[in-house]
Amino acid sequence: MKNENLNVAIVGATGAVGTQILAKLVERNFPAKSIKLLASKRSAGVEITAGGQTYIVEETVPESFEGVDIAFFSAGGSISQKFAHEAVKRGAVVIDNTSAFRMDEGTPLVVPEVNPNALQEHSGIIANPNCSTIQMVAALQPIKEKFGIKRIIVSTYQAVSGAGAEAIDELEQQSKQFAERAHIKAELLPSASAERHYPIAFNAIPQIDVFDESGYTLEELKMMNETKKIFGDQQMAVTATCVRLPVVTGHSESVYIETDDETATVAQVRAALASAPGVVVLDDPSEQLYPMPLFAEGKDEVFVGRIRKDPKDPAGFHMWIVSDNLLKGAALNSVQIAEELIK
């Protein structure tokens, strides 16, 4: 794809990620000749302003993609399944932010700092990984390059914005109900399709999405399978536990890795991270300097701290990784994929 003025469409433009995609396209001066905002029929006619320009949302129909060069999808897997191939059929390259195509053999799953070469193999659809996967592999890539990685154990502490705007509203309502000692109403979390729902306010829920027969949730399996695909190593040992916290924006992860090099030091790992694009090291325990979601909100980078050696395994390292799940975890990574395409 040539670097020229392009016709762009955003499907799911009224959602949290869709609005951020528009904002990032404007902020980063993406060479778009036109930007078409698409959503459901009920959102048609809504006005959204970005960069001093007002856009009017249109209903998503197959004909919406006529003349579109790049189509960003962020409206749920069912919408992607329904319209992505319609967009490709009309000549667009689809950058999909759902799980609809991530594990398809012919669909590249891309984090530009990690595996940009995978873009050469696309057949019209490129998948944006899960938000938690993106920030973890972006941080681990420089370590993998220098020392190799044979094992990853990750526990995530994920913000409610990862479950959508309705989950943010539910957290706010539950917080008020808790303060007033009123009955706390729970309808969405841990998963809208789950049999039971629990309050997220002042709570931690060790379930994101539904469980499968293995005892892992679908969110955990996404992280495990996507990490192997992005790193191109199906033999890598990856295990995840995903937890939802009453945080609005910003996912946190406690990550343990085992490297191939037992001589690697904390200083060397820290240096590798500090030189990596899009990664910021915040790691000074003497000054209580470490990443936190509240301070990562609205920032593009992946923040890493609490880097330390395992006391028993000379190849083991522990670290804490934080990033804005709506930006690098979704919208920003999608736009970076588009930028990589037109280089």
Side-chain angles (χ1 to χ4, degrees):
M1 183 173 290
K2 295 181 180 179
N3 187 356
E4 56 190 21
N5 288 335
L6 303 167
N7 295 314
V8 173
I10 304 172
V11 181
T14 58
V17 174
T19 55
Q20 290 286 3
I21 289 173
L22 176 60
K24 285 298 168 187
L25 289 171
V26 172
E27 176 190 314
R28 296 168 73 90
N29 296 313
F30 188 81
K33 182 167 58 178
S34 68
I35 301 177
K36 181 185 293 187
L37 303 190
L38 302 171
S40 64
K41 186 175 182 179
R42 68 177 179 272
S43 295
V46 170
E47 295 185 354
I48 297 177
T49 300
Q53 183 173 344
T54 299
Y55 302 85
I56 299 176
V57 176
E58 304 174 25
E59 180 185 359
T60 309
V61 295
E63 293 73 25
S64 301
F65 303 100
E66 296 289 350
V68 170
D69 298 299
I70 297 178
F72 297 94
F73 274 69
S74 188
S78 61
I79 299 299
S80 293
Q81 292 279 8
K82 183 177 180 179
F83 290 110
H85 290 292
E86 294 289 346
V88 173
K89 188 166 67 177
R90 289 165 172 80
V93 174
V94 168
I95 299 173
D96 185 58
N97 199 55
T98 76
S99 60
F101 308 106
R102 287 176 185 159
M103 298 312 297
D104 288 2
E105 187 174 339
T107 302
L109 185 65
V110 178
V111 178
E113 296 92 341
V114 179
N115 61 335
N117 291 338
L119 290 172
Q120 299 171 12
E121 305 299 324
H122 81 82
S123 299
I125 298 177
I126 300 160
N128 201 49
N130 180 278
C131 46
S132 299
T133 305
I134 290 173
Q135 68 184 65
M136 183 176 75
V137 299
L140 295 185
Q141 173 64 10
I143 302 172
K144 181 177 177 291
E145 281 185 351
K146 190 158 187 178
F147 306 108
I149 294 176
K150 59 186 176 184
R151 184 175 180 85
I152 302 169
I153 301 174
V154 55
S155 295
T156 73
Y157 306 88
Q158 297 180 219
V160 294
S161 57
E166 289 181 345
I168 299 175
D169 293 340
E170 184 164 274
L171 170 60
E172 292 175 350
Q173 290 300 319
Q174 289 176 0
S175 298
K176 292 175 183 176
Q177 291 162 356
F178 186 92
E180 296 167 359
R181 296 298 187 266
H183 172 71
I184 296 178
K185 189 176 181 181
E187 296 181 334
L188 291 175
L189 298 175
S191 170
S193 61
E195 183 177 345
R196 294 183 178 182
H197 300 104
Y198 298 112
I200 187 59
F202 303 96
N203 196 17
I205 303 177
Q207 178 188 351
I208 298 178
D209 214 325
V210 296
F211 291 98
D212 92 331
E213 59 189 16
S214 69
Y216 286 89
T217 66
L218 298 188
E219 182 82 358
E220 292 160 353
L221 292 172
K222 286 176 190 175
M223 285 200 76
M224 293 156 65
N225 294 328
E226 290 175 18
T227 298
K228 294 176 185 179
K229 181 173 180 177
I230 293 166
F231 280 150
D233 184 357
Q234 290 300 315
Q235 301 309 310
M236 181 180 284
V238 186
T239 308
T241 301
C242 295
V243 181
R244 188 77 72 187
L245 291 189
V247 171
V248 174
T249 302
H251 289 352
S252 303
E253 298 172 346
S254 174
V255 179
Y256 168 76
I257 61 169
E258 291 174 8
T259 64
D260 293 329
D261 185 352
E262 293 189 356
T263 68
T265 66
V266 168
Q268 289 173 328
V269 168
R270 192 180 286 122
L273 286 163
S275 63
V279 175
V280 174
V281 175
L282 291 176
D283 190 28
D284 188 350
S286 67
E287 297 292 333
Q288 292 180 261
L289 186 64
Y290 36 71
M292 290 179 281
L294 186 64
F295 302 105
E297 185 174 353
K299 296 183 174 67
D300 290 345
E301 296 84 5
V302 175
F303 299 89
V304 187
R306 299 297 317 278
I307 305 163
R308 58 209 188 276
K309 270 259 193 184
D310 187 82
K312 293 291 186 181
D313 190 335
F317 291 86
H318 299 264
M319 63 195 70
W320 178 252
I321 302 171
V322 178
S323 189
D324 187 317
N325 55 294
L326 299 179
L327 295 181
K328 184 54 184 170
L332 174 62
N333 199 73
S334 296
V335 173
Q336 287 176 313
I337 289 172
E339 291 171 341
E340 194 70 32
L341 276 174
I342 64 176
K343 278 184 180 178

